[in-house]
């Protein structure tokens, strides 16, 4: 059974719930405005997150939604955790709104592209094509629905994200953490995938990305998300959290 499907634990703040939804999903509905005629347009896109939780998209310049964004950058993403539910309306979901623009800074583009491929390793087949570029949403507000009659607007977009200082610190530490885990604790990474994410059918897992809310694991073209609970407040807490998760995985029973 897949265990890496996003879930929202009771007691979490709505802001935390929205950010964790963004972290955990791999696809979203993208709503843009048609460049010609101004009609609403919805499309399916794959999504990842930057260190602070901002949505990242790898878009082709040939796609209608990319041309729409060039004319009108205001857009919305619909993300949900309704997979496997008999009634999808009972699952949590969020509409996240903001402005989507191409990432221009080379360092930010490199980091974001690496994080995107950590969620979507199969995208490496086309990520280098000349018509594809990385885009980032500057989140302005969100509408969170936790189930029937459980809806709330969140107007302070930055409050949905990890604090800038934490995101910067995690970005600085990310490569060293994942290199250490893959070089020295590959067996632990395999345990995470098999026991905690329910991915017993694949082998050769490695850690591809880490942020304050969890880490991304990949095996060939497969990907899994391992959330942290609670989230990290500093990169130094990663070691304690990862050790605790190994102990949890080892106590988890048969695969």
């Amino acid at each position: 059974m897949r265990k890496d499907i996003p879930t929202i634990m009771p007691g979490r703040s709505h802001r935390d719930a929205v950010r964790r939804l963004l972290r955990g999903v791999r696809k979203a509905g993208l709503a843009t405005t048609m460049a010609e005629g101004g009609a609403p347009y919805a499309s399916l896109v794959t999504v990842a997150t930057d260190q602070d939780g901002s949505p990242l998209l790898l878009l082709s310049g040939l796609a209608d939604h990319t041309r729409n964004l060039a004319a009108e950058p205001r857009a919305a993403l619909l993300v949900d955790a309704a997979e496997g539910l008999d009634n999808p309306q009972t699952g949590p979901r969020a509409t996240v709104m903001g402005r989507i623009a191409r990432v221009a800074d080379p360092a930010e583009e490199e980091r974001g592209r690496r994080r995107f491929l950590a969620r979507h390793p199969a995208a490496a087949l086309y990520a280098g094509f000349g018509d594809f570029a990385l885009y980032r949403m500057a989140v302005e507000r969100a509408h969170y629905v936790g189930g029937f009659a459980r809806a709330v607007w969140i107007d302070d977009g930055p409050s949905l994200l990890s604090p800038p200082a934490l995101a910067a610190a995690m970005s600085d530490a990310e490569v060293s953490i994942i290199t250490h885990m893959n070089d020295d604790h590959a067996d632990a990474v395999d345990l995470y995938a098999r026991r905690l994410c329910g991915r017993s059918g694949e082998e050769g897992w490695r850690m591809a990305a880490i942020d304050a809310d969890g880490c991304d694991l990949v095996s060939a073209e497969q990907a899994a998300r391992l959330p942290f609970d609670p989230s990290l407040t500093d990169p130094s807490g990663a070691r304690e959290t990862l050790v605790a998760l190994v102990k949890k995985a080892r106590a988890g029973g048969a695969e």
Side-chain angles (χ1 to χ4, degrees), residues 141-170:
R141 65 192 307 226
H143 187 238
Y144 173 70
V145 182
F148 283 123
R150 296 172 57 199
V152 61
W153 280 100
I154 303 169
D155 290 323
D156 182 8
S159 72
L160 297 164
L161 308 177
S162 293
L166 175 58
M170 290 300 303

Side-chain angles (χ1 to χ4, degrees), residues 211-232:
D211 50 65
D213 298 308
C215 59
D216 294 304
L217 314 177
V218 299
S219 172
E221 294 186 356
Q222 302 299 313
R225 175 75 178 177
L226 178 63
F228 297 156
D229 189 16
S231 298
L232 303 180

Side-chain angles (χ1 to χ4, degrees), residues 28-252:
L30 171 63
T32 57
T33 303
M34 289 293 290
E36 298 180 4
Y41 178 82
S43 55
L44 179 68
V45 293
T46 47
V47 62
T49 57
D50 208 343
Q51 272 292 350
D52 64 354
S54 297
L56 296 172
L57 309 170
L58 187 64
L59 303 179
S60 168
L62 304 177
D64 285 307
H65 49 228
T66 309
R67 291 194 291 268
N68 295 344
L69 290 169
E72 171 54 86
R74 290 180 297 176
L77 289 166
L78 173 63
V79 295
D80 72 86
E83 184 173 337
L85 298 179
D86 291 335
N87 183 355
Q89 292 287 351
T90 63
R93 63 269 193 192
T95 299
V96 181
M97 288 158 283
R99 296 171 186 267
I100 297 178
R102 183 171 178 172
V103 177
D105 180 83
E108 292 183 9
E109 201 275 344
E110 181 181 0
R111 181 189 69 233
R113 188 174 288 256
R114 177 173 52 78
R115 288 188 58 83
F116 186 91
L117 292 176
R119 291 297 289 150
H120 306 282
L125 294 173
Y126 55 82
F129 292 177
D131 61 302
F132 278 87
L134 188 74
Y135 288 74
R136 186 178 192 269
M137 173 182 273
V139 178
E140 297 176 351
R141 65 192 307 226
H143 187 238
Y144 173 70
V145 182
F148 283 123
R150 296 172 57 199
V152 61
W153 280 100
I154 303 169
D155 290 323
D156 182 8
S159 72
L160 297 164
L161 308 177
S162 293
L166 175 58
M170 290 300 303
S171 182
D172 290 341
E174 183 177 24
V175 172
S176 64
I177 293 173
I178 62 180
T179 298
H180 171 67
M181 291 301 298
N182 291 330
D183 289 350
D184 300 333
H185 302 288
D187 56 338
V189 177
D190 266 331
L191 274 176
Y192 296 152
R194 296 198 309 269
R195 295 285 182 84
L196 301 182
C197 298
R199 307 301 291 274
S200 59
E202 296 97 24
E203 298 179 349
W205 288 92
R206 62 183 180 84
M207 187 178 292
I210 187 171
D211 50 65
D213 298 308
C215 59
D216 294 304
L217 314 177
V218 299
S219 172
E221 294 186 356
Q222 302 299 313
R225 175 75 178 177
L226 178 63
F228 297 156
D229 189 16
S231 298
L232 303 180
T233 57
D234 186 270
S236 63
R239 182 181 184 280
E240 181 180 353
T241 295
L242 291 168
V243 168
L245 287 169
V246 168
K247 293 178 180 178
K248 180 180 178 182
R250 287 174 176 162

